[in-house]
Amino acid sequence: DDLQGDPHAAADAAAARLRELTGAETHDVALVMGSGWAPAVDALGAPEAELQVTELPGFPPPAVEGHGGKIRSYRTGDKRALVFLGRTHYYEGRGVAAVAHGVRTAVAAGCKTVVLTNGCGGLREGMRPGQPVLISDHINLTATSPIIGANFVDLTDLYSPRLRALCKEVDPTLEEGVYAQFPGPHYETPAEIRMARVIGADLVGMSTVLEAIAAREAGAEVLGISLVTNLAAGMTGEPLNHEEVLQAGRDSATRMGSLLAQVLERL
Ligand code: R1P
């Protein structure tokens, strides 16, 4: 397994192959597209290159519907963006190194900014499906870390205040919230949602947090944007399912795409 041993060396190897396959010596910003976000990518225009994640060392094939398993290279103004259509989730059981490999590869490829998106449950009063929320902070409920060894990484302002302010210039109606990562893949129970609310979460999902920690360790500036695809368990009385998550993304694709395109322009 490519990721056993030194995950940073594995990321360097993947970045080297990425350079060969895209023909781009460097990339500036990475975007990880979460559940429901793939249709928003159309707003970025035509990619200059596209590859399957499995063409790079260390990436497993995608396990989840709506997680495309592709990487695209875009030119946006004077910058190059690396877009991951889908991610490896912790619940796939491949370990934290696999979860962090995309972000580490992006930083090894030159990305100084990492934009993490996801589809999530909203649990704050007044939140509604289709609403984008800027992640202001997180709660790690996975009981693990992508960082190996006694490497004490500061997570104050992990979700860049500068980039959040930039997003609000684009869309002043954007709200902020705290995202809690549960391990999944089962959805949370109503009792767990009540707990999450008590401990200060506004958003719940099964991604993003471990990647954000890895991005910070690697030295990148992190922006996190959640799309509330449903209200959290117990709030509506309706059962949760992944199809509604994907549908909420399709319904919001134009708005999310325009947000991402405008943010990229201003980076
Ligand atoms: C559940 O519907 C899936 O959607 C979210 C959850 O984490 C889970 O994987 O995916 P993203 O966080 O990748 O958007």
Side-chain angles (χ1 to χ4, degrees):
D1 180 15
D2 298 324
L3 299 180
Q4 296 308 313
D6 181 357
H8 297 284
D12 287 342
R17 185 82 183 114
L18 181 80
R19 285 193 183 94
E20 286 170 16
L21 290 173
T22 61
E25 193 43 47
T26 191
H27 284 85
D28 304 289
V29 50
L31 293 98
V32 179
M33 309 311 290
S35 294
W37 281 80
V41 177
D42 291 347
L44 303 183
E48 298 210 327
E50 177 180 281
L51 49 125
Q52 304 294 323
V53 285
T54 47
E55 292 178 72
L56 302 184
F59 285 88
V64 186
E65 192 205 338
H67 288 84
K70 293 189 178 72
I71 299 176
R72 291 187 188 153
S73 174
Y74 290 86
R75 187 181 288 284
T76 59
D78 60 348
K79 300 234 162 36
R80 276 189 182 271
L82 197 60
V83 174
F84 292 77
L85 290 169
R87 53 161 50 95
T88 299
H89 290 87
Y90 180 57
Y91 55 69
E92 291 170 42
R94 297 176 163 116
V96 283
V99 172
H101 188 51
V103 160
R104 287 183 172 138
T105 296
V107 176
C111 295
K112 303 252 180 310
T113 309
V114 172
V115 182
L116 301 170
T117 72
N118 63 59
C120 73
L123 50 83
R124 189 165 71 206
E125 197 66 38
M127 280 182 168
R128 53 190 196 288
Q131 177 181 359
V133 180
L134 300 172
I135 301 178
S136 58
D137 203 347
H138 78 221
I139 299 174
N140 181 2
L141 297 176
T142 66
T144 189
S145 170
I147 301 174
I148 297 162
N151 178 7
F152 302 113
V153 175
D154 173 51
L155 300 182
T156 310
D157 283 338
L158 172 56
Y159 299 90
S160 166
R162 184 184 82 85
L163 295 179
R164 279 185 271 151
L166 191 146
C167 289
K168 286 185 204 169
E169 280 171 27
V170 172
D171 181 350
T173 71
L174 282 171
E175 292 181 22
E176 299 195 347
V178 173
Y179 178 96
Q181 179 176 356
F182 280 80
H186 48 269
Y187 290 108
E188 307 74 28
T189 64
E192 287 165 346
I193 292 303
R194 291 194 293 276
M195 174 199 76
R197 198 177 282 126
V198 167
I199 64 176
D202 303 299
L203 310 160
V204 291
M206 309 167 197
S207 72
T208 303
V209 164
L210 299 175
E211 293 152 65
I213 295 169
R216 164 58 63 96
E217 183 202 25
E221 192 173 13
V222 177
L223 172 65
I225 314 176
S226 288
L227 176 67
V228 175
T229 53
N230 54 274
L231 296 181
M235 292 179 67
T236 65
E238 296 297 317
L240 305 180
N241 66 79
H242 191 56
E243 181 44 43
E244 76 178 340
V245 172
L246 299 181
Q247 187 57 46
R250 287 191 283 271
D251 294 345
S252 323
T254 308
R255 183 176 177 199
M256 295 311 104
S258 137
L259 173 63
L260 291 178
Q262 292 183 73
V263 168
L264 287 184
E265 253 170 49
R266 288 167 194 237
L267 281 178

